[in-house]
Amino acid sequence: MDYIIGVDIGTSGTKAIAFGDAGKVLAQHHVGYSILNPQPGHFEQSPEVLFKAVIDAIAATVRSVNSRLNRVKLTGVGFSSAMHGLIALDKQHQPMTHCIIWADTRSEPFASKLKASPDGFDIYSRTGTPIHPMSPLCKLGWMREHLPAVFNAAYKFISIKEFVFFKLFGRYVVDESIASATGLFDIHALTWYRPALDLVGISPGQLAEPVPITYVISGMDQRVAGQMGIPVDTPFIIGGSDGCLANLGSHAITPGDAAVTIGTSGAIRMMSHIPVTDEKARTFSYVLTPDMFVLGGAVNSGGVVLQWYKDTFGVSGVSGSDPYEALAEEAATVPVGAAGLIFLPYLAGERAPHWNAEAKGLFFGVQMHHRRSHFTRAVFEGIIYGLYSVGKVLDGIAGPIQVIHASGGFARAALWVQLLADVFNKQVIVHDHVEGAAQGAYMTVLKTFGMLSDFSEFEDEAPQKVYAPHVGNHRIYMENFGRFERLYDKVKDEF
């Protein structure tokens, strides 16, 4: 029996999942890690910590498979990873910085200046990446001005997946999917976009070599292979970004299908056969393959907002050992609409559709009858309203949403998924595996080795749960969502 491992390098942890025939999950292991916040607006992670997490997650998964099954062979390992990270390396291939992650907003002044210039829209149109502090383009602009010694001495500027692959194989390669989220990559020509590079003063040689998501590399460092318990010639398939692969793994690849993921952050995405950008630069257009592009928008306001709420205000005395489950139980005690309480969830600024790093959070409509449970429900609802504001834009450029495929940690919470169905007034499908990005990495391996001639051929045998929208709830949510949108417009100049 053969098996494939899908690895997802996420913001809060790395997960490795072993898939057998027809996508059956044989084993999995998760290694968590922290986000460093040395000062306001600075969000980083240690490249070495993340690399070790990848090795440990694969090793534990391999051990688990070998302990349960006889005569098994690892066919290959496919990768997904978070987008927008930036690491500066010196000529000795050592990190000069931590990995500056998507949530970092230190480059906001550079981003605002570029966005207001003619160059800004041109770069967005060619790269598909909105001008925002999340993008490596803007991070490089900031680094050039504020860390000139590091910038001028840097040999390479790479992401965390490139760092992992260099440590394993001694080569700098980046998949076109990750590259297309940098603001430096031409999604039409599938090569580095020279005007963007010239703007921040770097050369193509300081970046990794772009390759397709099906690119295979083997012959890894023998010591590291031993740590993972796998042969040195095990094929590693570079895979893509977590957002693009989540669409793939969630089976949202046909017109009318949307994928919604909420982990630390959140996103809603749809597929297109051609790159499509928005005339108001509100959405992204990322590469999966030369004829598959992922359109959509990412929001900062995902599970990180719920974590802030839990850490700041605690969890009230309701049943359930999981604090997030307890919060969901508390929210469920309050009728839909939270008795008119509205929450703008922009605690870390916001990406789509506003791309406003200065945005702030807000509770509105507080009255004497509101209790803690109303605030809890308002937090859940506010996060979904943020996604719905992106979905409305996506409807206009990618076609009407017919059905939503949900993945990410939130998909395990019935309250959140039902809320998603009610706000969008669409049917929501949750696949039992819910780890869309890791499953997408697995599917990429299948495609690479000819086990799939087309991604649409994949038949997922995992059970599904379908959530139908409640029309009455949708009506209430739309009243509150109207206030949600008007509130942002009224207070955005105060941020």
Side-chain angles (χ1 to χ4, degrees):
M1 178 182 178
D2 295 341
Y3 71 100
I4 291 167
I5 291 179
V7 179
D8 180 31
I9 309 171
T11 304
S12 58
T14 287
K15 174 167 281 189
I17 303 179
F19 296 92
D21 293 339
K24 180 182 179 182
V25 174
L26 305 177
Q28 58 184 294
H29 189 77
H30 178 269
V31 179
Y33 34 72
S34 61
I35 298 173
L36 307 175
N37 182 210
Q39 55 183 294
H42 291 221
F43 295 93
E44 308 172 346
Q45 292 181 308
S46 164
E48 294 291 352
V49 167
L50 270 64
F51 175 73
K52 185 177 185 301
V54 170
I55 302 307
D56 291 348
I58 294 174
T61 303
V62 169
R63 285 196 301 270
S64 181
V65 172
N66 289 339
S67 69
R68 294 164 52 193
L69 300 170
N70 295 321
R71 296 186 299 277
V72 292
K73 178 184 177 183
L74 177 58
T75 301
V77 182
F79 277 79
S80 161
S81 73
M83 295 174 275
H84 312 305
L86 180 68
I87 308 166
L89 297 185
D90 63 21
K91 290 182 179 179
Q92 287 72 46
H93 312 288
Q94 298 302 308
M96 303 170 70
T97 65
H98 281 133
C99 181
I100 305 173
I101 67 171
W102 58 267
D104 195 278
T105 58
R106 71 186 76 176
S107 64
E108 192 279 330
F110 177 89
S112 293
K113 183 178 179 181
L114 177 58
K115 189 174 182 180
S117 74
D119 288 340
F121 190 77
D122 171 72
I123 289 174
Y124 163 71
S125 298
R126 295 301 301 182
T127 69
T129 303
I131 305 301
H132 184 269
M134 70 175 184
S135 76
L137 168 74
C138 295
K139 292 179 172 78
L140 285 166
W142 176 89
M143 188 180 293
R144 184 185 192 185
E145 180 178 353
H146 295 275
L147 293 177
V150 171
F151 182 87
N152 293 328
Y155 173 65
K156 290 285 183 180
F157 296 105
I158 62 172
S159 74
I160 191 61
K161 191 199 287 187
E162 293 147 79
F163 182 78
V164 168
F165 269 67
F166 180 82
K167 294 271 284 187
L168 290 173
F169 303 103
R171 288 185 54 198
Y172 289 109
V173 289
V174 58
D175 62 86
E176 292 166 346
S177 179
I178 288 289
S180 70
T182 61
L184 303 164
F185 189 76
D186 189 329
I187 60 174
H188 303 270
L190 300 184
T191 187
W192 296 117
Y193 186 49
R194 197 59 185 255
L197 273 60
D198 290 344
L199 179 74
V200 293
I202 64 171
S203 68
Q206 290 178 281
L207 301 171
E209 174 192 357
V211 296
I213 64 170
T214 52
Y215 186 80
V216 183
I217 189 168
S218 60
M220 74 183 72
D221 179 89
Q222 188 169 8
R223 179 183 59 84
V224 181
Q227 292 173 353
M228 291 186 283
I230 62 177
V232 295
D233 60 351
T234 301
F236 273 50
I237 293 78
I238 196 165
S241 69
D242 54 359
C244 290
L245 291 181
N247 261 61
L248 192 60
S250 300
H251 314 296
I253 59 175
T254 56
D257 286 356
V260 169
T261 306
I262 303 180
T264 306
S265 59
I268 178 168
R269 305 169 299 271
M270 297 177 75
M271 286 284 195
S272 170
H273 293 302
I274 58 173
V276 181
T277 50
D278 173 48
E279 62 181 11
K280 295 183 180 179
R282 293 170 294 181
T283 53
F284 56 66
S285 181
Y286 296 148
V287 178
L288 182 62
T289 70
D291 61 356
M292 295 180 76
F293 294 81
V294 178
L295 316 179
V299 298
N300 288 351
S301 312
V304 68
V305 173
L306 203 61
Q307 180 178 339
W308 164 83
Y309 184 78
K310 172 185 73 68
D311 293 346
T312 305
F313 301 106
V315 179
S316 64
V318 293
S319 62
S321 57
D322 182 342
Y324 296 102
E325 182 181 333
L327 287 173
E329 288 184 25
E330 182 178 74
T333 66
V334 175
V336 299
L341 188 61
I342 309 291
F343 175 59
L344 298 189
Y346 309 133
L347 304 184
E350 190 52 293
R351 288 183 283 175
H354 307 301
W355 302 101
N356 184 356
E358 295 296 319
K360 305 292 190 298
L362 172 72
F363 282 104
F364 173 82
V366 185
Q367 295 182 280
M368 293 292 288
H369 63 270
H370 286 125
R371 297 293 179 260
R372 177 201 154 90
S373 52
H374 292 95
F375 284 86
T376 304
R377 184 167 192 108
V379 169
F380 280 95
E381 293 179 355
I383 293 170
I384 299 299
Y385 290 153
L387 281 168
Y388 184 66
S389 65
V390 184
K392 287 178 61 183
V393 177
L394 201 53
D395 244 12
I397 67 169
I401 296 171
Q402 303 296 334
V403 64
I404 296 172
H405 299 262
S407 66
F410 95 109
R412 298 187 182 91
L415 172 105
W416 238 359
V417 182
Q418 187 62 57
L419 208 166
L420 180 70
D422 292 348
V423 170
F424 277 79
N425 200 28
K426 305 294 180 185
Q427 186 181 81
V428 177
I429 299 173
V430 177
H431 301 268
D432 188 54
H433 55 76
V434 305
E435 298 294 341
Q439 170 121 335
Y442 159 66
M443 292 170 65
T444 302
V445 179
L446 294 179
K447 181 75 160 52
T448 301
F449 291 135
M451 300 176 210
L452 290 176
S453 60
D454 188 87
F455 286 124
S456 61
E457 294 175 352
F458 182 75
E459 296 183 6
D460 192 347
E461 296 185 359
Q464 300 178 359
K465 185 170 184 180
V466 178
Y467 291 76
H470 298 157
V471 177
N473 291 352
H474 176 70
R475 191 176 302 113
I476 295 170
Y477 286 135
M478 287 303 95
E479 290 178 6
N480 276 4
F481 177 74
R483 297 186 186 98
F484 177 92
E485 283 198 307
R486 292 191 295 273
L487 273 171
Y488 175 80
D489 287 336
K490 289 178 182 296
V491 303
K492 63 183 179 183
D493 291 338
E494 303 300 325
F495 293 148

